[in-house]
Amino acid sequence: MCSNKNFDWTRTIRTNTLMLHLVGLWPNSNENYELNLYTIYAFISVVVIMGGNNFFQVMNIFFVYNDLEALASTVFITITYVQTSVKMCFFMQNIGLFKKLLRSLNGTELEPKNEDQIEIVKPSLKFWKTVHAWFFSTAAVTTFTWSVIPLLSKSQCKQLPLAAWYPYNHTISPLYELTYLYQTVGVWYLAVANVHMDTLMVALMMYIAAQCDILCHNFRNFTNSNKKLHDVNRQIIDCVKLHRGILSFGQDSNKFFEMIIVLQFFTSTIILASTMFQLTLVKPVSKEGLLRIMYATGMTTQIFMYCWFGNEVEVKLRKTFFGLGRVKFEKGFDVLSTFVRSRK
């Protein structure tokens, strides 16, 4: 089987890499960050814009910790953005490994060999795109609503999108407008980074599951009795190479996102609990209630992605290594018999 050079695994995630590039998390080089203008921009984006927003929100906690309602209102969103910043640190630290994984996808071992295999992996790619679109849409609507609610408020007091402490009076012009702009840009940067880092990591799981589908397809189709023995030998060797490639890809993927997933599940539990508590303090049909419902929907989708695609990997690995997909026992016996005859 010859490889299909027209297929590119990374085409599916180009939107992710583009959006991450816009917020300073995807350098153009093949490996890590280099000393250039983009690295300077990444520093401004990650440290000044996103990190600065987190710092001022965390500082606000020390001024409202005596008020349970205000504390819960501050903590549930602050934890989200702080864990996003920590996630970015792990992501940037291992960006070279991630790019290595993407290059290996288009290598000889993991590349689809024919049109049938491309058709097999298309449903997985399409489902991932659907989940990505839903998660991004949910995050975008929530972030937009969060950004404009203070502008629609009839209160005489000037409000910001997020509760934060600043070492100056941010209620007077033009400091209010500048602070509002700073917060809004920071919130959007954090939302874009969070969504596309998560969907990029579950894309690795999706790729592993798709590779398992290809391996099962190979097992189902290399027992044609009309094939010569040396062709069967070659196909068995191809299956072994693909199997080893999947294992190597899975191990490297686990190194990349294992700490990130632990952090995500830990913080998401706290965030969802805090959000549910917030819903008990407001009317569900009010703008505050609807905003928190949208926020909880986004967080639930975030956890759903990791659980769903992680389960897909486990299920398909079991099918591949124990059941060989839909391969019948008789067919598998024919494969072994053919292989034994070919070695004589």
Side-chain angles (χ1 to χ4, degrees):
M1 291 182 292
C2 59
S3 61
N4 195 312
K5 296 299 182 182
N6 295 324
F7 185 82
D8 184 2
W9 286 102
T10 62
R11 186 181 298 118
T12 307
I13 60 173
R14 281 180 181 171
T15 301
N16 289 68
T17 56
L18 175 61
M19 298 301 287
L20 290 175
H21 182 76
L22 291 177
V23 297
L25 297 178
W26 195 264
N28 288 323
S29 61
N30 290 328
E31 297 296 338
N32 294 314
Y33 290 87
E34 300 175 350
L35 187 59
N36 52 31
L37 290 177
Y38 183 79
T39 301
I40 297 175
Y41 167 73
F43 176 83
I44 296 173
S45 172
V46 174
V47 178
V48 178
I49 298 178
M50 292 185 275
N53 264 289
N54 291 337
F55 172 77
F56 293 122
Q57 290 177 57
V58 171
M59 290 300 297
N60 186 62
I61 294 177
F62 294 98
F63 293 89
V64 299
Y65 69 90
N66 288 325
D67 186 341
L68 180 60
E69 183 176 346
L71 180 63
S73 179
T74 302
V75 166
F76 92 102
I77 188 65
T78 301
I79 291 178
T80 303
Y81 292 145
V82 170
Q83 68 94 8
T84 300
S85 293
V86 176
K87 193 188 305 183
M88 284 191 294
C89 293
F90 284 110
F91 187 88
M92 296 171 73
Q93 180 182 3
N94 296 307
I95 189 68
L97 175 59
F98 193 94
K99 292 189 175 185
K100 175 186 174 183
L101 287 169
L102 295 185
R103 289 195 299 271
S104 68
L105 275 174
N106 290 323
T108 305
E109 291 181 357
L110 300 181
E111 192 177 39
K113 303 300 188 294
N114 51 53
E115 292 297 328
D116 290 339
Q117 293 184 359
I118 293 177
E119 291 299 320
I120 287 173
V121 302
K122 278 184 177 180
S124 297
L125 301 178
K126 184 177 180 180
F127 181 71
W128 177 88
K129 288 181 179 179
T130 302
V131 173
H132 170 264
W134 168 255
F135 187 33
F136 184 55
S137 300
T138 304
V141 171
T142 304
T143 304
F144 175 78
T145 306
W146 218 295
S147 302
V148 301
I149 276 183
L151 299 177
L152 303 177
S153 176
K154 297 180 180 180
S155 174
Q156 297 297 324
C157 180
K158 292 184 177 180
Q159 298 178 350
L160 295 172
L162 300 172
W165 170 87
Y166 295 98
Y168 55 85
N169 185 2
H170 61 269
T171 61
I172 60 176
S173 297
L175 294 179
Y176 172 73
E177 289 77 12
L178 292 174
T179 305
Y180 198 107
L181 177 63
Y182 174 71
Q183 271 202 5
T184 302
V185 173
V187 167
W188 275 102
Y189 268 50
L190 285 163
V192 169
N194 197 24
V195 168
H196 291 92
M197 281 191 297
D198 284 331
T199 51
L200 205 58
M201 284 182 284
V202 298
L204 294 179
M205 302 179 189
M206 178 268 295
Y207 286 143
I208 296 172
Q211 292 293 340
C212 291
D213 289 335
I214 293 177
L215 184 57
C216 286
H217 174 267
N218 290 345
F219 277 121
R220 288 196 299 267
N221 290 279
F222 69 15
T223 56
N224 190 335
S225 59
N226 296 325
K227 293 181 179 179
K228 297 180 180 179
L229 294 180
H230 74 273
D231 291 334
V232 175
N233 279 342
R234 179 174 54 80
Q235 288 182 309
I236 292 176
I237 292 173
D238 289 340
C239 287
V240 172
K241 288 182 177 179
L242 177 57
H243 176 208
R244 294 175 61 182
I246 294 173
L247 291 179
S248 177
F249 187 87
Q251 290 171 354
D252 288 340
S253 297
N254 190 59
K255 292 178 184 177
F256 178 80
F257 56 56
E258 60 180 351
M259 289 303 300
I260 296 177
I261 292 180
V262 171
L263 174 68
Q264 183 64 61
F265 274 84
F266 175 75
T267 56
S268 293
T269 303
I270 299 175
I271 293 167
L272 285 173
S274 180
T275 304
M276 294 300 104
F277 174 74
Q278 281 287 301
L279 283 173
T280 65
L281 303 177
V282 297
K283 295 181 179 180
V285 294
S286 65
K287 61 182 180 181
E288 292 83 5
L290 293 176
L291 183 60
R292 281 155 178 77
I293 290 174
M294 288 190 295
Y295 186 79
T297 302
M299 294 303 302
T300 304
T301 303
Q302 190 176 35
I303 295 299
F304 163 80
M305 292 191 306
Y306 285 107
C307 294
W308 177 273
F309 286 100
N311 183 68
E312 282 289 289
V313 172
E314 183 176 355
V315 169
K316 291 185 178 182
L317 282 174
R318 287 179 179 177
K319 286 184 178 180
T320 302
F321 301 137
F322 297 103
L324 299 181
R326 293 179 296 177
V327 178
K328 296 181 180 179
F329 173 79
E330 294 83 1
K331 197 170 186 179
F333 183 77
D334 290 341
V335 173
L336 294 176
S337 299
T338 304
F339 178 70
V340 171
R341 290 198 306 271
S342 68
R343 307 305 295 177
K344 293 182 179 180

